[in-house]
Amino acid sequence: MEIELERVKPAEIETRSFEIITEELGETGLSKLIPGTEPIVKRCIHTSADFDYAKNLRFSEGVVDKALNALRNGASIVTDTQMAKAGINKRKLAQFGGQVYCFMSDEDVAEKAKAMGTTRATASMEKAAEIKEPLIFAVGNAPTALVKLYELIQEKRLAPELIIGVPVGFVNVVQSKELILSLTDTPYIVAQGRKGGSNIAACICNALLYML
Amino acid sequence: MEIELERVKPAEIETRSFEIITEELGETGLSKLIPGTEPIVKRCIHTSADFDYAKNLRFSEGVVDKALNALRNGASIVTDTQMAKAGINKRKLAQFGGQVYCFMSDEDVAEKAKAMGTTRATASMEKAAEIKEPLIFAVGNAPTALVKLYELIQEKRLAPELIIGVPVGFVNVVQSKELILSLTDTPYIVAQGRKGGSNIAACICNALLYML
């Protein structure tokens, strides 16, 4: 085989990856990023090898500082998939007092969704709205979760510390993100367009945690 | 708000998504796919909203039939991330007798990796090679896992039923996939290039499971 592996020590792989991402973004690419958001954008590219994330991420005014404050104050994270829950650095989160909730596999959620003719994601956001703690929502899969969050916020039943709105897909994904982008008092990080995913939702949480 | 949501019933969202993917691939795109691989390619696009997967997936000769037979015969799946493990449909897999293994968080793996100066992914593939069952490997994160699988196969210490080689990233990812593509007797599904991820690894497993 003529395949040559780059000699990088295990502990240095991530550093080297971020160097390559920085190089490839170049000065032009980096200069277009909102100050303070660089570690988040780069980690999304690191997670996907997709440089579209240098262009499609939208950040509400001052969102990074607000998110870091929320995490520092022990905010918990609600996700819409077990995959995102698995990917979030729960040990790091716990150092500040937070935990990760995912209600998607809960029996009461399945029953409620069936009874209401909605998705389990919708029902699990309803369930999350009952939690009386500061909450960050990390939605990587279900646009219906974002739509429900929008409604809960309009109805003043919920005031999230942050919405990470990165569902992926083809049905109502674009629209659900536009709903979140229209909110004026809710801090958000949104991947505009169709792209996103549980991996992206988890990696944005981790990018924030690693900034602390 | 002028944002209009498409009215789709929860149970129909996935079907509608696949219709959109089929439409957008178009006849030209679809005609380029290897017969029998369509559900896998489409599910990767469904998971990522990234049409690159219509071009970058490589399938060894007859791999889909071989993989389905392995699953039918109770093959288990070894993954390199807890995220991929979380994403694989374990209930469906168990119907045929298989289970999902991920050794990345095991203490003996961490110790061995430290002692050997390798990654935990490398050490966890070594551990997997000790399992005396038919195995499918789903690698969505660590190129070092693929390199180790290549070595184990060369040393005749392992004969996987299938390697799903879809690590993502920038350091040795491309090369590690080329190593797998060079294997002549090992069935593989590989996302050539930098792209992939735990979500892609899980979705290829699920695409196969849903074909049974």
Side-chain angles (χ1 to χ4, degrees):
Chain A
M1 288 301 309
E2 292 302 318
I3 296 157
E4 209 169 312
L5 295 168
E6 202 176 335
R7 288 183 162 280
V8 183
K9 286 182 194 152
E12 291 162 10
I13 294 173
E14 185 167 303
T15 310
R16 179 75 193 114
S17 300
F18 276 81
E19 280 170 11
I20 296 170
I21 293 165
T22 306
E23 277 164 33
E24 296 200 14
L25 277 170
E27 285 197 24
T28 326
L30 291 169
S31 70
K32 285 180 187 157
L33 303 181
I34 301 162
T37 67
E38 223 177 86
I40 299 168
V41 175
K42 286 184 186 172
R43 191 164 288 276
C44 288
I45 296 171
H46 178 255
T47 289
S48 61
D50 188 341
F51 281 82
D52 272 8
Y53 290 100
K55 295 175 198 154
N56 67 17
L57 289 171
R58 300 285 168 268
F59 297 88
S60 65
E61 183 87 28
V63 65
V64 176
D65 284 343
K66 288 175 192 170
L68 296 181
N69 275 333
L71 287 169
R72 254 185 228 109
N73 292 329
S76 284
I77 298 174
V78 179
T79 85
D80 66 331
T81 59
Q82 302 295 348
M83 275 190 87
K85 183 174 177 180
I88 295 167
N89 192 326
K90 290 167 287 294
R91 200 164 53 176
K92 187 90 185 165
L93 182 64
Q95 285 172 15
F96 301 94
Q99 59 177 304
V100 183
Y101 297 105
C102 176
F103 302 124
M104 293 295 289
S105 317
D106 293 9
E107 217 160 292
D108 58 335
V109 163
E111 279 166 20
K112 194 167 177 188
K114 204 174 172 189
M116 310 283 284
T118 60
T119 65
R120 281 186 295 148
T122 301
S124 72
M125 294 300 121
E126 289 267 6
K127 183 164 177 174
E130 304 300 319
I131 303 173
K132 299 302 164 209
E133 295 177 42
L135 293 177
I136 290 171
F137 288 83
V139 175
N141 184 54
T144 52
L146 284 191
V147 173
K148 177 47 74 179
L149 287 179
Y150 177 81
E151 291 170 358
L152 289 166
I153 291 164
Q154 298 292 84
E155 295 162 6
K156 302 206 185 303
R157 291 170 56 200
L158 190 70
E161 302 295 317
L162 166 67
I163 295 178
I164 298 169
V166 296
V168 59
F170 298 88
V171 177
N172 288 331
V173 166
V174 171
Q175 295 95 314
S176 71
K177 292 170 177 174
E178 293 300 322
L179 284 174
I180 302 303
L181 291 171
S182 77
L183 294 168
T184 46
D185 293 326
T186 304
Y188 61 72
I189 299 172
V190 166
Q192 211 168 17
R194 287 173 167 178
K195 287 186 177 175
S198 306
N199 52 341
I200 297 293
C203 99
I204 293 175
C205 294
N206 290 340
L208 290 165
L209 286 167
Y210 300 152
M211 288 165 89
L212 289 170
Chain B
M1 290 301 307
E2 292 301 320
I3 296 159
E4 209 169 313
L5 294 169
E6 200 175 336
R7 290 183 161 279
V8 182
K9 286 182 194 154
E12 291 162 9
I13 294 174
E14 186 167 302
T15 309
R16 179 75 192 112
S17 300
F18 276 82
E19 280 171 11
I20 296 170
I21 292 166
T22 306
E23 277 163 35
E24 296 201 13
L25 277 170
E27 285 197 26
T28 327
L30 291 169
S31 71
K32 285 179 189 157
L33 303 182
I34 301 163
T37 66
E38 223 178 85
I40 299 167
V41 175
K42 286 184 185 172
R43 190 164 289 277
C44 288
I45 297 171
H46 178 255
T47 288
S48 62
D50 188 340
F51 280 82
D52 273 7
Y53 289 100
K55 294 175 200 154
N56 68 16
L57 290 171
R58 300 286 167 269
F59 298 87
S60 65
E61 183 86 28
V63 64
V64 176
D65 284 342
K66 289 175 191 169
L68 296 180
N69 275 333
L71 287 168
R72 253 185 228 111
N73 292 330
S76 284
I77 298 174
V78 178
T79 84
D80 66 330
T81 59
Q82 302 296 347
M83 276 191 87
K85 183 175 176 179
I88 294 168
N89 191 326
K90 290 169 286 294
R91 199 165 51 178
K92 187 90 185 166
L93 182 63
Q95 286 173 17
F96 300 94
Q99 58 178 304
V100 183
Y101 297 106
C102 176
F103 302 124
M104 293 296 289
S105 316
D106 293 8
E107 217 160 292
D108 58 334
V109 164
E111 279 166 20
K112 193 166 178 190
K114 206 176 171 188
M116 309 283 284
T118 60
T119 64
R120 280 187 294 148
T122 300
S124 72
M125 293 301 120
E126 288 268 6
K127 183 165 178 174
E130 304 301 318
I131 302 173
K132 299 303 165 210
E133 295 177 42
L135 293 177
I136 289 171
F137 287 82
V139 175
N141 184 54
T144 53
L146 284 191
V147 174
K148 177 46 77 180
L149 287 178
Y150 176 81
E151 291 169 358
L152 289 166
I153 291 164
Q154 297 293 85
E155 294 162 6
K156 303 205 183 304
R157 291 171 55 200
L158 190 70
E161 303 295 317
L162 166 68
I163 295 178
I164 298 169
V166 295
V168 59
F170 298 88
V171 177
N172 289 331
V173 166
V174 171
Q175 295 94 313
S176 71
K177 291 170 178 174
E178 293 300 322
L179 284 175
I180 301 304
L181 291 171
S182 77
L183 293 168
T184 45
D185 293 326
T186 304
Y188 60 74
I189 299 172
V190 167
Q192 210 168 18
R194 287 172 167 178
K195 288 187 177 174
S198 306
N199 52 342
I200 296 294
C203 98
I204 292 175
C205 294
N206 291 339
L208 290 165
L209 286 166
Y210 300 152
M211 287 165 91
L212 289 170

